[in-house]
Amino acid sequence: MGPWNRVSVAKCQMLVTSVFVLVKQLLGLFVASMAALTYFGAHFAVIGHASPEDTPYEAIHRWLFYTGISLAGLLTLGAVLSAIATVREAGGLMAGGFLCFALVFCVLTQMAFWRFHNPAQVEDAMLDIYDLVYEKAVKNPSGTQWQELVAIQDTFLCCGKRIPFSLLGSSEADLCLGEEATRQDCLQGIRSFLRTHGHITSTLASVGLASMVYAMLLSSFLWFAIRSGRSLDRKGTYTLSPRARGCQPQEPSFFRHFQEELALHHVSEARALHDGLGPSGCSDGPRLLQDN
């Protein structure tokens, strides 16, 4: 590969690195937004407010929030370290960025493994809380559980539970009156919301895994380039090699070839002139008669 091709590849790699850093920052922002939505969103907040203490939902809720914030922080830190390392050509900072991306990849892989083996764990935890609040509210309509149940139904735009072949009591019948009677079943509403949220999370995790693989490959390539001493941008930088004493600098190949041809031409002319004059230095041509 010629020098100009290497420069072009380096410039393209720098452009890809800039786009890559921007994508990592946006991905970190999306992960932080999803973590905040999961923890402070109205749907999750109303379930968390109604759930008793020391329930599986509370542990899963906190774990998802802290994991999302940690991933967002690692993504942002890795993007900043890789950008600074690319500009300053610092191998240590590039190694730090590679470590951040590797940690994010491991966490995302663990989350994907957990999601694959426990696809309904979050859904079952939320439905268990709704069932518990629903039963307490029906048994004691004057308690606080009735207000919590109404808040859940207003948030998910649902009403009650559709249990086939069961007779509704007076309290259960009072839950769905008027426009509320046209709402969907709360069990179906919660499942539908969690399914949509799960699809968005899975898509974000898939994009994160693919981008982490590319990030680790790119950061390792840049680290090896920095460690090998090849600058990513040699513009305006020249290296003078030492020259032996008494040696003349070599001309470029084109001018050197031209000088050799010119020297050969002078030598051939000199030989032709020497052959024409003869050994005595006089011409062998006819002599003119002159008067004494």
Side-chain angles (χ1 to χ4, degrees):
M1 183 182 292
W4 288 106
N5 292 333
R6 285 196 295 268
V7 171
S8 300
V9 170
K11 289 182 178 179
C12 293
Q13 199 67 37
M14 288 288 292
L15 180 60
V16 171
T17 304
S18 301
V19 176
F20 151 77
V21 171
L22 179 61
V23 170
K24 287 295 168 292
Q25 291 177 349
L26 292 177
L27 186 60
L29 180 62
F30 289 154
V31 172
S33 300
M34 286 296 297
L37 179 63
T38 302
Y39 195 80
F40 300 104
H43 297 80
F44 294 97
V46 70
I47 295 292
H49 180 71
S51 64
E53 296 181 357
D54 299 332
T55 57
Y57 175 79
E58 289 292 331
I60 296 173
H61 197 198
R62 293 194 186 97
W63 180 80
L64 290 176
F65 173 72
Y66 293 138
T67 302
I69 294 298
S70 300
L71 287 177
L74 287 174
L75 281 172
T76 305
L77 180 61
V80 172
L81 288 178
S82 61
I84 297 175
T86 304
V87 174
R88 297 186 177 181
E89 299 184 4
L93 295 179
M94 188 61 69
F98 177 84
L99 181 61
C100 292
F101 298 142
L103 290 175
V104 173
F105 178 80
C106 294
V107 173
L108 288 177
T109 304
Q110 182 66 28
M111 290 183 64
F113 181 80
W114 171 75
R115 175 72 177 174
F116 178 77
H117 284 274
N118 301 283
Q121 186 173 0
V122 179
E123 178 180 329
D124 292 341
M126 292 187 70
L127 292 178
D128 289 341
I129 293 174
Y130 178 78
D131 289 337
L132 181 62
V133 174
Y134 183 85
E135 292 177 1
K136 289 183 178 181
V138 170
K139 292 180 180 178
N140 186 15
S142 60
T144 57
Q145 285 78 14
W146 184 269
Q147 299 177 358
E148 294 175 352
L149 179 62
V150 172
I152 293 174
Q153 295 182 158
D154 292 340
T155 303
F156 285 93
L157 298 179
C158 61
C159 185
K161 296 190 299 183
R162 302 293 188 268
I163 303 177
F165 306 107
S166 63
L167 298 176
L168 298 178
S170 59
S171 300
E172 296 177 349
D174 293 339
L175 284 173
C176 303
L177 297 176
E179 296 180 356
E180 297 179 355
T182 60
R183 294 179 179 178
Q184 62 178 342
D185 181 9
C186 282
L187 299 180
Q188 296 296 329
I190 294 174
R191 288 194 183 99
S192 178
F193 170 77
L194 292 178
R195 193 176 298 113
T196 303
H197 190 272
H199 290 334
I200 297 175
T201 306
S202 300
T203 302
L204 193 60
S206 301
V207 173
L209 284 173
S211 61
M212 286 307 104
V213 173
Y214 178 75
M216 290 188 291
L217 292 176
L218 179 59
S219 57
S220 60
F221 167 76
L222 294 176
W223 183 83
F224 280 114
I226 293 172
R227 294 291 295 177
S228 63
R230 297 177 181 178
S231 177
L232 299 177
D233 189 3
R234 291 286 186 180
K235 184 177 180 181
T237 303
Y238 303 94
T239 302
L240 298 178
S241 59
R243 188 177 62 195
R245 188 172 185 179
C247 295
Q248 297 294 331
Q250 294 184 354
E251 301 289 341
S253 60
F254 173 77
F255 296 101
R256 186 168 60 251
H257 183 66
F258 177 73
Q259 289 179 357
E260 291 177 356
E261 289 185 353
L262 186 61
L264 291 175
H265 181 68
H266 288 324
V267 170
S268 61
E269 286 184 352
R271 288 180 179 177
L273 181 60
H274 182 270
D275 294 340
L277 293 177
S280 61
C282 299
S283 175
D284 294 338
R287 299 179 180 178
L288 298 177
L289 297 177
Q290 297 179 355
D291 296 336
N292 292 331

